[in-house]
Amino acid sequence: MSAQASFDEDYVLDETRQWRGVYSKRINASDEDVVRTLGHIKRTGISAELYRWMEEDRIAAGKQAGPKPAMDFAAVLALYLTLACAGQAMTTRNAANLARYGLSDHTRRRLGIELDEKATADAVYDRIDRAFHRLLAVVDPEPGPRRQKMSREARQNHLASLDEDAVRMRRERLHQICNALIVQSYKDLPREVRRRWKGNAVVDGTVVPVHSRGHSKTSQWISTEYEAGWYQRKGDHFLDDDAPTQQLKNKGIFGYDAAIVSMATNDPSRVTTFPQLAVGMSFDKPAVEPGQNAIIALEQMNRAGLPARLIIGDRAYGNSPLAENFQIPARELGYQLLFDMKVDDLGKPYDEGHFIVLEGNLYSPALRGKENLIKATVHYRVDKSIDYDTWQKRLEQRAKYMLQPHEAATREGGGQQMRCPAAGPNPTVACPLRPRDIEAETGKHLALLPIMPKNVPAEHTRGKLCTNAGGTSIIRGPVYDRQAMDPRIQFGTPEWYTWYSTTRNTIESVNASAKNGAGAALAIADRRRIRGYAANYIFTALLLVATNMHKTEVFMAKNIQVDSRGRGPEKKNTPRLRDVTWGKELPKPWNAPPKKRRQRERGPDWSPPTRGESAI
């Protein structure tokens, strides 16, 4: 016997929900949620900065002071951040719904929102909208009409009317407040957790789609999102000049490129003892200036006092044509570089006389003429004429010619003090220019690689590495600035691969967490129905803050064991299921096609299983 549901025939909709109209969606937040988000905004100090900038702009424009705003900058940002943390769409309607119906009177007073009983959600909507656009007026570098499309000619006239100094100043303000929001996630970590991070970071660009529709370059109109551009996951990941063809336009994404910098592990062989949060970002058109955009984020991190040690990036940041855009500024900020090499730069030595730059590492000129060692990576990754073990043996032999870092940190200006491999207490080669009795000097019996006299640098090419008594010299120059990586990690070795792959997985994980549709949903443009470079920049920063908050909560719940040196336990090499099933495979070259999967051996009587039967 089953019970039949009964319904009250005279049921009446609750009075508080009878006249809400478009605000009928239920959005609530607890006092704790708002305390957390409002506290995060206030601790950054950006609200006071925004008011100071607004006052400076008012005085410069010669305007009279107006009435006190009905809603504070911190309050409106806290409302949007609360929506982001709750996984709700960051729309003004949702913010008004939350402020009018989803908060207690006590929480509204904490936000500085005073409402009487007759205040409608539409009135709250107007307050939030005016407050946010008042904020944008202070930091938007390219203000302009957003409610209707412009012709290309009108767009050029609009750009010509802008003051370059004002554009530059507001762009700097925008970078400052957005990065202050993100860095505060790191500063809010417990002190003992925060100090475990030594400064390693990884950078990558990710596309942020916009709600507005893009146009092709043949159209006489441009999008209302006129600062955005077309992005395509192919080659260098961007489409030139607003989708040149309809075919590419259909495959592309119209939006912005967010260069995100994330905290990276101190040791890839151990469990990380801190949450790997996003700590910096910049915003631009897709793949316009990846190196310069990364430097903007690193400079903001440096201004906030974050440590700097190693910066890892993909080929978009490594050995770029202009070292002034990324490599030199990164070294001046105290970073060592680690990146993958482009195929064109493999096996290509740059001879500077007293040292050689090869695949990002610095070598002794005694390496000249040893083609098997110089071309080892080319023979493995390009020609495929040698196997993995042979490649690693040649790299190990080549490592004996590497210059040794005399100082861990870079010098002011980006230079690095290096030492000849035949000098110092632990030489790896025996050079005729430095005759030594190592066993008598150090008491060590070292098997040194002899350098033939024909490979010794000519007298007119010898630099300070060869002539200084200590065999040290500060290395600088165009080739070093563009090509050199961290001298402690040799390119192509398991150590390099572990560092590169682990940190690259870290930044991809940060991007995936921010774009997760069940969370921040950065990849869903409908969740950010707002136009403009500045507005999308701020919303992206808030979504990264919400992602950081979630990552921090997850990490603190893990209770990872930490030793006296702040290190986590060593990682366990858990075998992959396919390795268990098919056998372990050797490392493969990065650009080689995947090998065909080996088929299981089948008996002569084997036949494909029918439905419901096991395939074993």
Side-chain angles (χ1 to χ4, degrees):
M1 182 176 180
S2 60
Q4 185 176 0
S6 61
F7 299 92
D8 191 353
E9 295 181 357
D10 58 351
Y11 171 77
V12 179
L13 186 67
D14 186 85
E15 184 177 356
T16 61
R17 298 181 59 83
Q18 285 186 13
W19 312 109
R20 288 173 60 172
V22 295
Y23 302 97
S24 59
K25 183 178 180 181
R26 187 182 297 275
I27 301 177
N28 298 321
S30 65
D31 292 350
E32 292 77 9
D33 295 335
V34 177
V35 167
R36 181 177 64 161
T37 57
L38 181 61
H40 183 97
I41 301 298
K42 287 189 174 182
R43 284 191 296 275
T44 63
I46 62 174
S47 182
E49 284 291 300
L50 288 168
Y51 278 115
R52 182 174 66 83
W53 293 335
M54 186 172 66
E55 185 67 13
E56 290 176 358
D57 293 347
R58 183 191 67 78
I59 294 175
K63 296 181 180 180
Q64 296 294 326
K68 181 180 178 180
M71 185 172 292
D72 183 67
F73 290 141
V76 67
L77 289 175
L79 286 174
Y80 283 122
L81 181 56
T82 303
L83 291 174
C85 293
Q88 299 288 341
M90 297 174 66
T91 61
T92 307
R93 179 182 297 174
N94 279 356
N97 196 349
L98 174 64
R100 178 64 182 87
Y101 301 111
L103 300 178
S104 66
D105 293 338
H106 173 73
T107 304
R108 276 197 293 266
R109 286 194 295 271
R110 184 185 291 271
L111 288 171
I113 303 175
E114 298 293 339
L115 298 178
D116 55 26
E117 295 181 356
K118 297 182 180 180
T120 64
D122 286 342
V124 179
Y125 181 103
D126 292 338
R127 290 190 191 182
I128 296 173
D129 187 65
R130 287 195 298 268
F132 190 69
H133 281 83
R134 192 165 56 246
L135 185 156
L136 293 180
V138 180
V139 298
D140 193 351
E142 295 187 19
R146 300 286 181 183
R147 297 185 179 275
Q148 60 184 6
K149 299 176 184 177
M150 287 193 297
S151 65
R152 295 187 178 274
E153 182 180 359
R155 167 65 175 160
Q156 295 299 324
N157 295 334
H158 173 67
L159 288 175
S161 65
L162 297 176
D163 183 2
E164 292 185 2
D165 293 335
V167 169
R168 191 180 305 106
M169 177 184 63
R170 290 176 180 172
R171 193 179 297 274
E172 177 60 29
R173 291 176 179 177
L174 189 58
H175 291 317
Q176 182 175 336
I177 66 167
C178 290
N179 280 274
L181 288 168
I182 297 173
V183 170
Q184 190 62 43
S185 302
Y186 163 78
K187 293 182 177 179
D188 286 344
L189 292 173
R191 184 172 182 268
E192 66 274 9
V193 176
R194 188 172 64 245
R195 294 188 66 180
R196 294 173 192 163
W197 179 51
K198 303 305 179 183
N200 294 335
V202 56
V203 60
D204 190 30
T206 187
V207 62
V208 179
V210 295
H211 186 66
S212 300
R213 185 168 64 92
H215 291 270
S216 67
K217 68 177 183 180
T218 58
S219 174
Q220 63 175 335
W221 303 98
I222 62 172
S223 172
T224 52
E225 199 74 52
Y226 40 76
E227 298 105 326
W230 286 96
Y231 173 101
Q232 186 188 32
R233 186 68 181 177
K234 178 182 179 182
D236 45 12
H237 307 328
F238 76 103
L239 300 177
D240 191 20
D241 291 333
D242 298 331
T245 64
Q246 184 66 31
Q247 180 182 5
L248 292 178
K249 176 184 173 183
N250 294 337
K251 296 180 181 178
I253 300 174
F254 190 67
Y256 296 98
D257 190 24
I260 301 175
V261 181
S262 169
M263 301 161 65
T265 180
N266 298 327
D267 186 351
S269 66
R270 292 180 175 270
V271 176
T272 307
T273 57
F274 49 84
Q276 300 182 81
L277 310 178
V279 286
M281 72 171 295
S282 64
F283 222 58
D284 205 346
K285 282 188 175 182
V288 173
E289 291 291 350
Q292 292 179 348
N293 290 328
I295 291 300
I296 290 173
L298 296 179
E299 288 175 343
Q300 295 295 331
M301 292 165 54
N302 180 73
R303 181 180 300 176
L306 272 62
R309 177 178 287 183
L310 182 65
I311 183 70
I312 300 100
D314 59 14
R315 298 176 189 176
Y317 303 96
N319 52 34
S320 59
L322 294 177
E324 295 81 3
N325 291 344
F326 180 69
Q327 290 92 325
I328 294 177
R331 291 192 182 95
E332 290 177 346
L333 292 172
Y335 287 96
Q336 293 282 6
L337 309 181
L338 187 72
F339 46 81
D340 194 7
M341 300 294 297
K342 300 176 182 178
V343 176
D344 296 340
D345 289 317
L346 295 177
K348 185 184 294 184
Y350 296 88
D351 197 334
E352 293 296 294
H354 61 300
F355 69 92
I356 293 174
V357 182
L358 175 62
E359 295 173 359
N361 300 118
L362 308 180
Y363 293 91
S364 165
L367 190 62
R368 297 189 189 113
K370 300 185 182 298
E371 289 299 314
N372 284 343
L373 301 184
I374 293 175
K375 300 293 184 181
T377 307
V378 175
H379 292 162
Y380 175 64
R381 287 179 55 174
V382 182
D383 301 341
K384 302 179 179 59
S385 57
I386 60 175
D387 58 13
Y388 176 80
D389 292 335
T390 304
W391 178 44
Q392 291 301 311
K393 289 179 181 178
R394 293 183 181 179
L395 290 182
E396 184 178 352
Q397 189 77 356
R398 196 168 77 185
K400 296 181 179 181
Y401 295 93
M402 285 181 62
L403 302 187
Q404 302 168 1
H406 189 62
E407 295 177 345
T410 57
R411 289 292 186 96
E412 185 177 355
Q416 179 87 20
Q417 188 171 20
M418 304 295 293
R419 183 169 54 207
C420 172
N426 297 296
T428 54
V429 297
C431 180
L433 297 179
R434 296 186 182 277
R436 305 174 60 188
D437 188 347
I438 301 299
E439 191 167 358
E441 289 182 19
T442 63
K444 302 176 182 178
H445 180 69
L446 303 177
L448 303 181
L449 189 68
I451 296 178
M452 303 303 292
K454 64 178 182 180
N455 293 328
V456 174
E459 187 172 356
H460 66 279
T461 62
R462 296 172 189 170
K464 292 183 179 180
L465 285 172
C466 298
T467 59
N468 282 353
T472 63
S473 176
I474 299 176
I475 304 298
R476 281 302 303 266
V479 175
Y480 168 85
D481 292 339
R482 179 177 181 269
Q483 296 284 342
M485 292 192 298
D486 189 332
R488 298 165 295 181
I489 304 175
Q490 187 184 18
F491 176 79
T493 59
E495 181 187 14
W496 174 88
Y497 183 77
T498 302
W499 271 104
Y500 183 76
S501 60
T502 302
T503 54
R504 287 290 302 158
N505 289 340
T506 297
I507 190 62
E508 294 296 344
S509 174
V510 171
N511 293 341
S513 298
K515 292 186 174 184
N516 187 354
L522 182 60
I524 303 177
D526 288 343
R527 298 278 292 269
R528 296 172 285 103
R529 298 187 180 186
I530 194 164
R531 301 186 184 100
Y533 168 83
N536 278 281
Y537 197 168
I538 294 172
F539 275 22
T540 301
L542 293 175
L543 289 172
L544 287 177
V545 171
T547 304
N548 285 345
M549 288 181 173
H550 176 70
K551 280 182 169 289
T552 301
E553 292 174 353
V554 171
F555 172 82
M556 298 304 293
K558 289 181 179 179
N559 193 22
I560 297 176
Q561 299 298 322
V562 181
D563 63 14
S564 59
R565 298 172 60 183
R567 302 178 304 176
E570 293 187 2
K571 291 182 179 178
K572 297 180 180 179
N573 294 324
T574 305
R576 297 178 297 181
L577 178 60
R578 67 179 185 180
D579 290 342
V580 175
T581 306
W582 305 106
K584 190 173 181 179
E585 58 186 355
L586 292 174
K588 294 181 292 188
W590 291 262
N591 59 342
K595 294 181 179 179
K596 294 183 179 179
R597 185 181 293 273
R598 299 192 303 271
Q599 297 295 327
R600 292 182 179 179
E601 295 183 1
R602 308 293 188 184
D605 298 332
W606 182 86
S607 60
T610 60
R611 180 175 295 180
E613 295 182 354
S614 174
I616 304 300

